[in-house]
Amino acid sequence: MALRYNEEVDKNNTLKLRKMLANLPESCSTFMRGIEQRTESRTRIAYAYDLSVFFTYLRDEVSRFHGKQLTAFTLEDIESITVLEIEKYVDALKYRVRQNPDGSETELLNSPSGIKRKLSSLKSFYRYLYKDQLIQKNPAELVDMPKLRDHDIIRFDDNEVADFLDEVDSGDQLTERQAKYHAKTGRRDSAMMNLMLGTGIRVSECVGLNINDVDFNNDGIRIHRKGGKEVTVYFGDEVERELRSYMEYRKTITALPGHEEALFLSMQKKRISVNAVENLVKKYAKVVTPLKHITPHKLRSTYGTNLYKETGDIYLVADVLGHNDVNTTKKHYAALEDERRRSARNKVHLRED
């Protein structure tokens, strides 16, 4: 029986993680086994990458570890790392040079958010080892997390949503080369963009849809959330029209073996990839809002904003978007919360006029 998209992704990630861990200390494998039940495979890959950066730094920059194989780092070595050495590592992350296998060098720059993620990964690693009493000291806990400036959430304004969808429908402002592709993919693109803007699903959830995941009787789609949870997300009449139109067209396409069940196909008649959808969003959005960096996640933010404006129910927004913690939702929509509080200032009258 063929694996579902999310199962296939998880399998490939698991195999990739095994290869990465083969080149890291055994303690990293212990850490991954310990967090397996509460993390996704792609999250563990990110941890493994961040830890490889840390141990490579120790090998190259800390004198007592010079030339040491990454797999040879012991728990005693890990426990011996000082707070100052971790702070120097964090500082080195701002700019570093990576030696390539062919002898060349690649200059690497990390954004403040990238640095914070790598330190967060290191803290999680040390915290796990310390909690399981594999080490007796936790120097990473004493290193302060860098503070990041709050950035405004980038999303479509109301008029931009309409302009964006109009452009997806018509392709009027595309280049001649892009227009040729649009003639073949327009219905697919319109169905995908309407679906993401009309439900707030993640791009990975969109590309993972199968034909039988669409239920027009209940106007819903079955998706697999982070962690493998299966839920039904409901769509409105506008999305339904676009989906019905596309699915009639989809019946005329013969997909390649292994991709027969996929709802959205690439030009090669395979399940469309996340990267391909990201490029499509960028292509159409660039015409409508050239100064905004619009990604599939920004379509999700746009939906969340519109839903919150219409309902004022932050818990509903969190539930529909699949946030495990409503505080995550509140953080993203704090400005709208403040706007609603401000609008309440004249709602209660103390005396009759």
Side-chain angles (χ1 to χ4, degrees):
M1 183 177 177
L3 296 177
R4 289 191 60 89
Y5 170 78
N6 62 302
E7 294 171 334
E8 186 70 29
V9 169
D10 193 54
K11 182 194 77 172
N12 292 335
N13 284 344
T14 299
L15 295 175
K16 181 179 180 180
L17 180 61
R18 286 178 187 172
K19 290 182 179 179
M20 296 176 73
L21 290 175
N23 297 307
L24 288 172
E26 178 59 32
S27 54
C28 293
S29 296
T30 303
F31 170 56
M32 296 301 169
R33 287 193 295 271
I35 65 173
E36 184 174 0
Q37 297 304 314
R38 53 187 173 85
T39 57
E40 288 189 81
S41 55
R42 62 180 176 181
T43 301
R44 295 194 294 278
I45 286 176
Y47 276 134
Y49 173 75
D50 291 343
L51 290 174
S52 72
V53 172
F54 175 65
F55 284 108
T56 299
Y57 168 82
L58 295 181
R59 180 196 66 193
D60 296 342
E61 303 297 335
V62 179
S63 58
R64 68 181 183 280
F65 297 128
H66 275 178
K68 193 180 185 82
Q69 293 288 326
L70 300 194
T71 54
F73 276 85
T74 64
L75 288 168
E76 289 74 20
D77 293 329
I78 294 168
E79 191 173 23
S80 75
I81 304 302
T82 66
V83 173
L84 180 59
E85 286 170 336
I86 295 177
E87 289 176 340
K88 287 182 176 180
Y89 162 67
V90 173
D91 186 64
L93 287 174
K94 298 173 184 175
Y95 170 81
R96 61 193 177 92
V97 176
R98 182 180 66 196
Q99 296 289 333
N100 298 319
D102 61 3
S104 62
E105 295 181 342
T106 301
E107 296 181 352
L108 299 173
L109 296 173
N110 275 298
S111 65
S113 59
I115 293 172
K116 186 174 182 178
R117 191 199 80 176
K118 287 179 173 58
L119 179 56
S120 178
S121 296
L122 188 61
K123 281 177 171 283
S124 296
F125 175 62
Y126 267 94
R127 194 178 300 119
Y128 174 82
L129 298 180
Y130 181 74
K131 183 179 178 182
D132 267 34
Q133 299 183 341
L134 298 174
I135 57 175
Q136 302 305 310
K137 294 188 300 181
N138 182 2
E141 196 64 33
L142 302 176
V143 179
D144 293 331
M145 293 290 286
K147 292 185 177 180
L148 302 181
R149 290 182 302 167
D150 290 333
H151 294 284
D152 292 335
I153 295 178
I154 298 174
R155 56 174 77 87
F156 276 137
D157 295 330
D158 292 343
N159 64 302
E160 291 170 340
V161 172
D163 291 344
F164 175 77
L165 292 177
D166 285 345
E167 180 58 28
V168 176
D169 284 342
S170 67
D172 286 344
Q173 300 182 65
L174 299 178
T175 65
E176 184 177 345
R177 182 172 179 273
Q178 290 173 335
K180 290 181 180 178
Y181 284 105
H182 182 269
K184 300 176 182 178
T185 66
R187 272 189 280 190
R188 179 203 67 188
D189 297 352
S190 186
M192 283 195 299
M193 301 309 154
N194 274 273
L195 184 60
M196 286 193 289
L197 278 167
T199 62
I201 60 173
R202 298 176 176 88
V203 61
S204 59
E205 295 164 351
C206 180
V207 302
L209 285 169
N210 286 339
I211 294 171
N212 60 7
D213 288 328
V214 182
D215 177 9
F216 286 119
N217 290 326
N218 295 292
D219 291 335
I221 51 171
R222 179 178 58 199
I223 62 171
H224 289 78
R225 292 290 196 198
K226 288 182 176 180
K229 182 181 178 182
E230 185 177 289
V231 300
T232 298
V233 174
Y234 299 95
F235 50 79
D237 295 341
E238 294 171 289
V239 175
E240 179 186 357
R241 285 195 298 270
E242 297 297 333
L243 272 178
R244 283 189 182 277
S245 174
Y246 169 69
M247 290 187 75
E248 284 301 313
Y249 174 68
R250 173 66 179 82
K251 293 175 183 177
T252 69
I253 306 173
T254 302
L256 291 179
H259 301 269
E260 298 92 344
E261 296 181 3
L263 177 59
F264 296 116
L265 298 174
S266 68
M267 291 284 288
Q268 292 74 38
K269 300 182 181 180
K270 299 178 180 180
R271 184 185 296 275
I272 197 167
S273 68
V274 168
N275 186 57
V277 178
E278 289 172 343
N279 288 333
L280 285 173
V281 172
K282 180 180 178 181
K283 176 180 71 175
Y284 291 118
K286 191 175 182 180
V287 174
V288 177
T289 56
L291 298 183
K292 287 184 179 179
H293 178 57
I294 298 296
T295 64
H297 191 73
K298 302 300 186 292
L299 303 188
R300 182 169 156 83
S301 297
T302 299
Y303 172 80
T305 299
N306 291 337
L307 181 61
Y308 185 59
K309 284 181 177 179
E310 291 295 324
T311 66
D313 189 340
I314 198 70
Y315 291 94
L316 174 63
V317 176
D319 183 51
V320 174
L321 292 181
H323 290 165
N324 292 325
D325 185 353
V326 73
N327 289 317
T328 300
T329 320
K330 287 181 177 180
K331 180 179 69 175
H332 284 92
Y333 300 98
L336 294 176
E337 288 254 85
D338 187 60
E339 185 179 308
R340 289 185 67 247
R341 284 193 294 269
R342 193 180 302 115
S343 70
R345 72 189 193 283
N346 288 323
K347 298 295 184 184
V348 176
H349 298 282
L350 303 181
R351 291 184 292 183
E352 294 295 331
D353 292 337

